[in-house]
Amino acid sequence: MQAPIRLSIVEVGPRDGLKNEKNIVPTDVKVELIHRLVSSGLPVVEATSFVSPKWVPQVEISTVDSSIAGLGGCPYAKGASGNVATEDVVYMLHGLGVITNVDLVKLLSAGDFICMQLGCPSGSKTAVALSQVTADASKI
């Protein structure tokens, strides 16, 4: 299978990811997260929704839904670990040569921001791995 040349990413973390978190996120933190996500170059950031997810058809071909730091999950799938992390999707797509127009460094910063606000670790494998590489490099 050949990777597409260009792919759009729909960031659903502020909408879907945060609604499943145990901690209530203040509005000013949500707004700051959205600003940081937009600043990273994400073309679509969904801030809220008024439709039950079970009624929304999933037709994923040139667009991918993802959530910053892998926040959220499906309330209908018991034991689901969460959404796919936007950082992981962008990292993979960049590795495949797919144009996303997303600044991965700014995206990682937005993930760090919301995880610090929530007091939880990132669900992004990319964020965890790159932060470990950075920490190891600082010891040299």
Side-chain angles (χ1 to χ4, degrees), residues 86-104:
T86 305
E87 302 94 318
D88 297 348
V89 172
V90 171
Y91 182 81
M92 176 195 68
L93 292 171
H94 287 183
L96 293 171
V98 177
I99 298 166
T100 65
N101 295 325
V102 176
D103 183 325
L104 183 58

Side-chain angles (χ1 to χ4, degrees), residues 1 5 11 14 21 25 30 40 46 53-54 56 61 63-64 69 74 83 106 111 117 136:
M1 184 173 117
I5 294 172
E11 172 58 50
E21 291 299 315
V25 180
K30 291 178 189 177
S40 79
E46 294 187 358
K54 68 182 181 180
V56 179
I61 295 170
T63 301
V64 174
C74 180
N83 290 308
K106 287 184 177 182
Q117 294 296 318
D136 290 346

Side-chain angles (χ1 to χ4, degrees), residues 18 30 32 39 45 49 59 68 70 88-89 105-106 108 121 129 131:
L18 294 179
K30 291 178 189 177
E32 179 63 23
S39 171
V45 178
S49 68
V59 178
I68 190 71
D88 297 348
V89 172
V105 173
K106 287 184 177 182
L108 289 164
S131 68

Side-chain angles (χ1 to χ4, degrees), residues 10-32:
V10 176
E11 172 58 50
V12 299
R15 177 198 61 135
D16 183 48
L18 294 179
K19 74 179 179 187
N20 290 318
E21 291 299 315
K22 293 177 186 172
N23 300 331
I24 294 175
V25 180
T27 301
D28 61 323
V29 171
K30 291 178 189 177
V31 170
E32 179 63 23

Side-chain angles (χ1 to χ4, degrees), residues 43-75:
V44 178
V45 178
E46 294 187 358
T48 189
S49 68
F50 299 100
V51 179
S52 170
K54 68 182 181 180
W55 299 114
V56 179
Q58 300 296 312
V59 178
E60 312 300 8
I61 295 170
S62 61
T63 301
V64 174
D65 286 0
S66 59
S67 179
I68 190 71
L71 295 175
C74 180

Side-chain angles (χ1 to χ4, degrees), residues 120-140:
C120 68
S122 177
S124 165
K125 305 278 190 243
T126 301
V128 171
L130 291 179
S131 68
Q132 186 61 44
V133 169
T134 304
D136 290 346
S138 68
K139 295 176 186 175
I140 297 175

